[in-house]
Amino acid sequence: MSSTSPDPLSVPGPDLDLDALRASVRERWGLDGDLTALHGERDCNFRLDSGSTRHLLKVHNPADPEAVLDLQRSALDHMRAVAPELPVPGVVRTLDGRPWVPLTGRDGRVSLAWVHTWLAGRHPEPAELDDARLREWGRTSARLGRGLRGFAHPAATQPLVWDIKRLPQLRSWLPAVAPDRRAAIEAVLDRFDERVAPVLPRLRAQVVHNDLAPTNVLVDDDLALTGITDFGDMTHTALVCDLAVTVADLVSGRADGLDAAWEIVAGYDAVTPLEADERALVADLMAGRCAAAVLITAWRTREQGAAPEIDDEAYALLETLLSAGTDDLVVRRRAGRSTAALTAARASAFGEQELSYDQPLHLVRGDGVVLEAADGRRYLDAYNNVPVLGHSHPAVASAVGAQLATLNTNSRYLQDAPVELAERLLATLPDRFDRVLLVNSGSEANDLAWRIARHATGASGGIATAWAYHGVTEATYPFSPESWHGAPAPDHMRLVPPPLAGDLDIDGAISSLSASGHGVAAMLVDGVFTSDGVHGPAHAWTRAAAEAVHRAGGLYVADEVQAGHGRTGQHLWSFVAGDVPADLVTLGKPMGNGYPVAAVVGPAALVDPFVRGTDYFSTFGGSTAACAAALAVLRTIEDEGLVDNAGRVGARLLDALRQVATQRDDIAAVRGWGLALAVDVVDPATGQPSADRAGRIVEAMRESGVLIGRTGRDRASLKIRPPLVFADEHVDRLASAMTGVMPRS
């Protein structure tokens, strides 16, 4: 390692005369007492007991210049000012006000010495740390990083061999490693050169502690944090390197190392959300830390002629990482119970609630359009519409995490987020909409819209399409014939065929409701007719339906829970794309990218009388964190151009699937609007819709690594409804899988 000063690893520690040291401490600091030697890798550390007062005396390696001590002093002062909740030592100045003094050892070499305040506690044993403690350790690491975020010092840029980003510079030390370990170390070095080094320069970087190991942390008898010590490995590097050091040092020697690792990462992520590139490198950087430990100890053993000092625990963890990750070297999130055990436990707790797929898919992680299972297999997600931005989008994770760490309460307090969200929503809608009611779910939104409609019209009759789904509440279940399982329609409900399934027969439904005394309160319409088999766009149909409902005195509710937030690729909202004169709009599912938030939007003439007449309020509809999530979604859709992406990629996917249909005899039709598509599956022998064959294709697609679903009254239509970040390469993979899979018999 090149440096303007001697390599600290090559310089022996101070050679001290304890009597002379005690005399110097008494003269310089006015402290007199017993010195007890403590562990120090390359420095000399002592506990100084002076009566009832205790201090820490540190005598640095002769290779350390004043700049190194000034870096640590400045960082300690900074931390005590900006993060007083984190216990770090203070610097005790000499009687003449100096932070440190030079001391001459018995061999004539000069070392810098200083005194710190004493932090009580003990070093925890890693085996004491359960999952909750590991997560708290991760949170502490993140808080320490946040405390140092604004800190800078020239000495922090000096080369440090323990900085993982400098791992490639240690390759020349490989001959010092035992022959039976060189191959593994070399594999980590090669992988680092290929996959890590090119990415590190574009990641977040700052000054970090770089050594939050158990030997540098103090706890009380209840394992509560009492001190963070040893800022001697501080350096300016990629932020995620600090996390990797923490994780690797804490889990080395644990039999459950990889499971424990992800508990620490989860705790860190809760305070400082990781970016996608950072998360992808955690395992490689952990392996890099382990490789550096082996290389450095082996080099020191060879160069300094010491007894063999091999970091066995670091090497064992490195081997575990290599064997667990195979090609991708990815530390998986803790899977907990086995898939079989979890399946049985779920059945016991949840009863007969349905799972997707014959063999349950045990998921542990999502990133963009990829879902990862407990066995490490990765799947292309072409089904889930809730994570409209893709799974684990950093913008949402960051917004929600920051808001939860600041404030999360109900919207009866004056706060920015709910108001800004309402304003942003209204700005995307026609001028007639000027009121927003925030709730928690799409079902709740549709339930509330139905209540508003009944309050405004005095009627009690509802209309929905023949196989629609609009929610799970007592009020929305009647609007969800998909869930009826053949039961007759409730007395106040009438169903009409969706587009393409027959002529619009809404006048008959209206007449029937009028004759029964219910009248027409509202018709709820999903603009892409997802559960009916995906039949959008159907602008003429939806406009005609709205006009007919209006003539009968009812309200048209545009249910944008599945159709909205840009899925159609033409506008944020499907009813706006079709110029449908909707009265109320309901939003849900994608609104928070997985965080529960939904809304009803309407005109003041409908909403205000309802609120006055019912004293309506939803305690956590519009909570601060929910609004932060929803705002992040709207901003990201705009910033990343996801509406246009849905239109372009959706059209490409539609063309690709139609090409697939020409090569198969079991596909009768392909249709879609943006990134909402359906593929009608038939029995090749009869040409009739085949739910059984469609189900087997879904299973076969899962086996090929692509997730899709089924829809439609006969469940014979494949449903393809991916996150809006779906790209051309995903289209190609899906189409290729659809071409090749054959339904299992």
Side-chain angles (χ1 to χ4, degrees), residues 660 663-667 684 692-704 736-745:
V660 172
Q663 305 170 46
R664 299 185 63 126
D665 59 2
D666 56 356
I667 296 179
D692 177 67
R693 192 174 184 86
R696 287 186 281 125
I697 290 176
V698 169
E699 294 287 345
M701 289 288 284
R702 175 258 175 91
E703 290 178 4
S704 73
S736 176
M738 187 72 75
T739 300
V741 301
M742 294 303 293
R744 298 176 301 170
S745 58

Side-chain angles (χ1 to χ4, degrees), residues 476-531:
T476 57
Y477 173 78
F479 285 88
S480 304
E482 182 190 48
S483 303
W484 295 355
H485 293 286
D491 181 64
H492 69 289
M493 285 299 304
R494 299 295 182 271
L495 304 180
V496 298
L500 306 182
D503 295 333
L504 176 60
D505 187 24
I506 194 168
D507 288 333
I510 291 170
S511 297
S512 177
L513 285 172
S514 297
S516 68
H518 289 292
V520 180
M523 180 180 186
L524 271 62
V525 175
D526 164 12
V528 295
F529 304 90
T530 313
S531 297

Side-chain angles (χ1 to χ4, degrees), residues 264-276:
I264 303 166
V265 172
Y268 187 99
D269 197 42
V271 175
T272 301
L274 292 169
E275 297 175 355

Side-chain angles (χ1 to χ4, degrees), residues 164-165 258 354 380 403 541 737:
I164 307 177
K165 77 180 179 187
L258 298 192
E354 185 180 4
L380 176 66
Q403 191 60 62
W541 191 100

